[in-house]
């Protein structure tokens, strides 16, 4: 059961970095004999690998440090097993403290906690483990009290500390678990876990000392005619960054600019021009150092219309030429006016319309205009799409086409596990989903028959589920676990009275509303592709209707989205998924009838 504690932390909420209280109790150096005999100088002792070898006669695995299964029984309970038979609750207030160290490439932490007052009289020690999320890195420390120590309930406010955990790579995610000892059989409340991230290079050393994390902070955009001039601050010379690039995109168009500053002219700032941009278009641009995995700074460029005005000096015909030309034009104008008046009188004799009716028709006409999106968000909203792959490859294709359409035509940055396989392999599927849930502005769960079926499997479906899991890979399990985690987050947010607008549920038209899990029926629900405009309104916070006007977006309307290539591909993918799922259900019904 002690190993199970290392798995549950994946579903814990990310923790905040806090500092342990002053006056905490730190580990002591003492021998196992002192602990077993109950000496007064062995109140809170660290156990080393050498102590484990002395007691058990063999070395523990180096990765596990001094931790072993059932440490209380192995090290203290051989002579008196009764001291390791009591139930003890897991500790409270598990916190992580960062320790300053000269190494600029790694972090060191110390863990602190308070013992629970439930069973505190029988508490024998603690075991602290540190696990890298999505990796195999593991460290563990063991601390024991001497056998005669019995803490009163008033000591539950005492703060205990671990030894330092050094050498944690910057920008990495970890889970720390503190286990109370002893751990009897059939007992699940003996540990507390929480996640944390080591500091980034910029957080620990400052942005000016981190080549990988550096990005331009100050960007100024100016327009002169049709040319756009961009000025930005350069990286410090000690970072060795010599080249930069800029990438602008709008309406499926991309504009790449390679930037090579002249450091002899200016070592702090550089200006470059972007040409061939379309007038009246808003571009989203990124600028970064031309380095691997460089952080990109996003800014917006609005190319205004440029009107060419003729000055008096550009046209200077002679007066002698202008006079006869003007008289000719005046004569032609008089003839045209006379003919128009004659025709108008003839038409008014045939048809007469009251002026009140004309005025009423003009006032009732719908006026079209342009409504800009709110500019309180510097970057497009980040949307995580979760789904179940148990409905087959056609359903997965429909989800992928939906993500492509939203990213291309709804001004939204879409996160989809199918598009980020490299990060999934590096971090692990569950860790990737946890990070995306934490970082995304919105989360859209595509509900389907397979999603509800996987959440409540029947006994006869175990073999089929195993085949599907093997066929679709480990992403299927991770996506479904992420949906469960999202449901829990929705329930907690609802119980605390928090805003639920971050979470959304949707179904394609071949699914039923009953396919939406119960825990997700508390959030906004959409039917796609019918509700694309409602989804756009949710993502960007704009109202579809208002006093005297309504918002109409042609390329994402129910009829207009198919005119776009990605919209037509989405419609075809939904049609294929509908046919495949219908055939699968008919086949299942036929087998049940047999």
């Amino acid at each position: 059961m002690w190993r199970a504690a290392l798995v549950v932390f994946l579903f814990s909420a990310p923790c905040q970095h806090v500092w342990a209280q002053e006056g905490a109790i730190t580990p002591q150096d003492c021998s196992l004999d002192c602990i077993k005999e109950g000496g007064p100088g062995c109140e809170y002792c660290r156990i080393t690998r050498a102590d484990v070898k002395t007691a058990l006669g063999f070395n523990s695995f180096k990765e596990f440090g001094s931790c072993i299964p059932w440490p209380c029984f192995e090290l203290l309970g051989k002579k008196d097993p009764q001291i390791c038979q009591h139930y003890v609750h897991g500790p409270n207030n598990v916190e992580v403290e960062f320790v300053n160290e000269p190494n600029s490439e790694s972090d060191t932490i110390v863990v602190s906690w308070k013992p629970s007052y439930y069973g505190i009289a029988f508490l024998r020690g603690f075991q602290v483990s540190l696990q890298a999320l999505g990796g195999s890195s593991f460290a563990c420390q063991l601390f024991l009290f001497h056998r005669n120590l019995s803490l009163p309930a008033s000591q539950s406010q005492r703060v205990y500390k671990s030894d330092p955990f050094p050498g944690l790579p910057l920008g990495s995610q970890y889970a720390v678990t503190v286990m109370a000892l002893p751990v009897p059989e059939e007992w699940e409340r003996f540990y507390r876990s929480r996640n944390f991230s080591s500091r980034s290079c910029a957080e620990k050393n400052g942005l000016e000392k981190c080549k990988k994390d550096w990005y331009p902070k100050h960007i100024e955009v100016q327009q002169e005619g049709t040319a756009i001039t961009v000025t930005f601050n350069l990286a410090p010379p000690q970072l060795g960054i010599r080249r930069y690039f800029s990438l602008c995109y709008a309406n499926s168009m991309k504009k790449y600019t390679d930037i090579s500053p002249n450091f002899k002219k200016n070592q702090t700032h550089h200006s470059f021009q972007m040409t061939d941009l379309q007038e009246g278009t808003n571009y989203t641009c990124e600028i970064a150092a031309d380095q691997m995995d460089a952080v990109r700074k996003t800014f917006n460029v609005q190319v205004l219309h440029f009107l060419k005005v003729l000055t008096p000096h550009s046209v200077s015909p002679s007066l002698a030429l202008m006079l006869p030309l003007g008289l000719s034009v005046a004569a032609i104008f008089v003839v045209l006016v006379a003919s128009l008046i004659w025709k108008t009188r003839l038409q008014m004799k045939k048809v007469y319309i009251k002026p009140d009716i004309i005025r009423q028709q003009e006032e009732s006409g719908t006026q079209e205009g342009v409504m800009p999106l709110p500019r309180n968000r510097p970057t497009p909203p980040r949307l995580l799409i979760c789904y179940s792959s148990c409905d087959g490859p056609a359903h997965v294709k429909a989800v992928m086409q939906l993500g492509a359409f939203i990213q291309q035509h709804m001004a939204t940055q879409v996160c989809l596990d199918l598009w980020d396989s490299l990060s999934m392999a590096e971090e692990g599927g569950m860790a990737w989903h946890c990070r995306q849930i934490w970082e995304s502005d919105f989360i859209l769960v595509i509900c389907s028959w397979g999603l509800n079926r996987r959440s409540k499997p029947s006994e006869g479906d175990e073999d089929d589920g195993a085949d599907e899991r093997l066929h679709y890979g480990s992403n299927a399990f991770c996506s479904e676990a992420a949906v469960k985690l999202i449901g829990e987050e929705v329930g907690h947010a609802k119980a605390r009275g928090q805003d639920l607008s971050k979470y959304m549920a949707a179904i394609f038209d071949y699914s039923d509303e009953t396919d939406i899990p119960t825990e997700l029926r508390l959030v906004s629900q959409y039917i796609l592709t019918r509700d694309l405009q409602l989804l756009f309104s949710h993502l960007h916070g704009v109202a579809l209707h208002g006093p005297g006007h309504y918002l109409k977006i042609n390329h994402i309307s129910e009829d207009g989205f198919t005119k776009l290539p990605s919209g037509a591909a989405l419609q075809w993918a939904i049609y294929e998924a509908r046919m495949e799922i219908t055939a699968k259900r008919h086949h299942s019904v036929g087998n049940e009838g047999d």
Side-chain angles (χ1 to χ4, degrees):
M1 185 176 295
W2 73 283
R3 295 180 181 270
L6 305 179
V7 179
V8 182
F9 60 72
L10 290 173
F11 299 94
S12 302
C15 68
Q16 307 241 341
H17 300 154
V18 294
W19 296 88
Q21 298 91 334
E22 295 182 359
I25 300 175
T26 56
Q28 303 169 288
D29 285 322
C30 39
S31 64
L32 277 177
D33 293 335
C34 181
I35 297 174
K36 294 177 181 180
E37 294 172 0
C42 307
E43 180 179 351
Y44 179 56
C45 304
R46 65 172 60 90
I47 304 300
T48 64
R49 294 183 68 214
D51 295 329
V52 173
K53 182 178 180 180
T54 302
L56 304 181
F58 60 87
N59 280 325
S60 61
F61 290 104
K62 184 177 181 181
E63 292 78 8
F64 288 90
S66 58
C67 296
I68 57 175
W70 315 111
C72 182
F73 288 99
E74 294 292 340
L75 301 179
L76 297 179
K78 289 185 177 181
K79 293 183 179 180
D80 186 9
Q82 295 298 324
I83 67 173
C84 299
Q85 295 290 342
H86 297 279
Y87 291 92
V88 178
H89 269 244
N92 302 318
N93 302 97
V94 176
E95 311 290 1
V96 175
E97 172 187 353
F98 288 99
V99 179
N100 293 327
E101 60 167 342
N103 190 345
S104 61
E105 298 180 356
S106 64
D107 248 333
T108 298
I109 67 160
V110 171
V111 184
S112 63
W113 63 90
K114 293 180 180 180
S116 172
Y117 58 82
Y118 292 109
I120 190 173
F122 307 104
L123 185 65
R124 301 265 60 87
F126 304 97
Q127 188 165 280
V128 185
S129 61
L130 183 69
Q131 170 74 48
L133 295 182
S136 59
S137 178
F138 183 84
C140 191
Q141 299 175 4
L142 175 62
F143 309 100
L144 294 178
F145 299 143
H146 67 75
R147 60 178 293 107
N148 295 328
L149 180 66
S150 179
L151 297 178
S154 60
Q155 298 296 329
S156 61
Q157 296 303 312
R158 300 177 69 177
V159 177
Y160 290 85
K161 278 190 175 184
S162 70
D163 283 326
F165 288 93
L168 308 184
L170 298 179
S172 302
Q173 292 182 318
Y174 294 88
V176 61
T177 301
V178 182
M179 182 189 308
L181 304 178
V183 183
E185 295 285 352
E186 300 180 0
W187 182 241
E188 298 179 354
R189 301 179 182 178
F190 57 90
Y191 66 92
R192 287 289 186 275
S193 297
R194 61 186 317 169
N195 295 359
F196 73 96
S197 296
S198 57
R199 293 174 294 183
S200 65
C201 178
E203 291 174 333
K204 181 175 182 179
N205 307 312
L207 187 62
E208 303 303 320
K209 297 182 180 180
C210 301
K211 184 175 183 178
K212 184 178 179 180
D213 296 333
W214 185 91
Y215 62 90
K217 282 189 173 181
H218 307 288
I219 299 177
E220 182 180 351
V221 180
Q222 295 180 342
Q223 179 176 358
E224 298 177 0
T226 57
I228 302 296
T229 302
V230 180
T231 303
F232 66 97
N233 63 295
L234 299 174
Q238 64 268 21
L239 296 183
I241 299 175
R242 314 298 296 178
R243 298 174 62 87
Y244 303 81
F245 73 90
S246 174
L247 179 63
C248 297
Y249 45 91
N251 301 328
S252 302
M253 300 180 299
K254 291 185 178 181
K255 174 67 176 178
Y256 181 86
T257 305
D258 187 49
I259 307 171
S260 298
N262 185 354
F263 293 95
K264 294 182 180 180
K265 184 178 180 180
N266 194 329
Q267 293 188 356
T268 60
H269 291 80
H270 177 73
S271 300
F272 68 97
Q273 286 192 341
M274 295 188 296
T275 57
D276 301 329
L277 300 181
Q278 290 188 357
E279 297 182 11
T281 304
N282 293 334
Y283 288 85
T284 299
C285 300
E286 298 175 340
I287 187 171
D290 194 0
Q291 303 286 334
M292 182 69 68
D293 297 330
V295 178
R296 302 185 181 189
K297 174 71 173 180
T298 303
F299 62 99
N300 297 321
V301 174
Q302 182 178 8
V303 184
L304 304 176
H305 288 283
F306 178 68
L307 301 178
K308 296 182 179 180
V309 182
L310 296 176
T311 61
H313 298 285
S314 61
V315 182
S316 57
S318 63
L319 182 61
L321 183 61
M322 288 290 295
L323 185 59
L325 181 60
L327 293 175
S328 301
V329 171
I332 295 173
F333 178 75
V334 171
V335 174
L336 292 175
V337 170
S339 62
L340 289 173
I341 293 174
W342 179 70
K343 290 181 179 180
T344 303
R345 288 178 178 178
L346 291 179
Q347 293 176 355
M348 291 184 65
K349 290 180 180 180
K350 296 179 181 178
V351 180
Y352 176 73
I353 303 176
K354 294 182 178 181
D356 296 339
I357 299 178
I358 298 176
R359 190 181 308 109
Q360 181 179 0
Q361 178 67 22
E362 291 177 349
E363 292 177 356
S364 62
T366 302
Q367 298 182 358
E368 295 184 357
V370 178
M371 175 182 290
L373 294 178
R375 294 189 174 273
N376 55 352
R377 185 189 299 274
T379 58
R382 187 183 181 97
L383 173 68
L384 171 64
I385 299 181
C386 296
Y387 62 98
S388 172
S389 59
C390 296
D391 288 281
H395 175 70
V396 175
K397 181 180 178 182
V399 173
M400 186 167 58
Q401 293 293 348
L402 173 67
F405 180 84
I406 293 176
Q407 179 148 304
Q408 292 179 17
H409 302 291
M410 294 177 65
T412 303
Q413 181 183 355
V414 176
C415 301
L416 194 62
D417 57 355
L418 297 171
W419 298 347
D420 203 4
S421 56
L422 181 59
S423 296
M424 289 274 292
E426 291 178 348
E427 302 179 35
M430 197 61 235
W432 184 89
H433 278 92
C434 289
R435 181 173 62 84
Q436 296 296 341
I437 291 173
W438 179 253
E439 296 178 354
S440 296
D441 300 307
F442 298 96
I443 299 171
L444 177 64
V445 180
I446 304 298
C447 303
S448 60
W449 178 77
L451 181 65
N452 251 348
R453 176 174 175 267
R454 292 297 298 174
S455 62
K456 297 179 180 180
S458 60
E459 296 180 359
D461 294 337
E462 292 181 357
D463 295 338
D464 295 339
D467 294 339
E468 290 177 350
R469 186 164 57 251
L470 291 174
H471 181 70
Y472 298 115
S474 60
N475 289 2
F477 169 77
C478 295
S479 297
E480 292 151 11
V483 171
K484 287 290 186 183
L485 179 59
I486 293 169
E488 293 180 5
E489 291 292 329
V490 169
H492 294 161
K494 180 66 175 178
R496 293 191 292 264
Q498 296 177 347
D499 184 20
L500 298 179
S501 61
K502 177 176 180 178
Y503 308 97
M504 298 172 286
I507 58 173
F508 290 118
D509 56 11
Y510 53 78
S511 299
D512 300 325
E513 293 186 3
T514 55
D515 294 332
I516 300 177
T518 304
E519 58 269 20
L520 294 180
R521 295 179 185 175
L522 299 172
V523 303
S524 300
Q525 303 169 22
Y526 302 106
I527 300 178
L528 303 176
T529 55
R530 185 192 72 183
D531 296 335
L532 282 176
Q533 293 194 89
L534 292 174
L535 181 60
F536 180 89
S537 171
H538 191 132
L539 292 172
H540 294 280
V542 294
L544 293 181
H545 298 275
H549 75 275
Y550 70 94
L551 179 64
K552 180 180 180 182
I553 309 172
N554 292 326
H555 64 271
I556 63 173
S557 63
E558 187 174 2
D559 300 327
F561 82 97
T562 57
K563 298 178 181 179
L564 300 172
S566 59
L570 172 60
Q571 185 184 42
W572 179 251
I574 293 176
Y575 170 77
E576 290 182 329
R578 182 188 305 112
M579 298 301 293
E580 178 180 295
I581 291 177
T582 302
K584 184 184 297 186
R585 290 182 179 178
H586 287 169
H587 178 71
S588 300
V589 172
N591 291 339
E592 292 177 0
D594 296 339

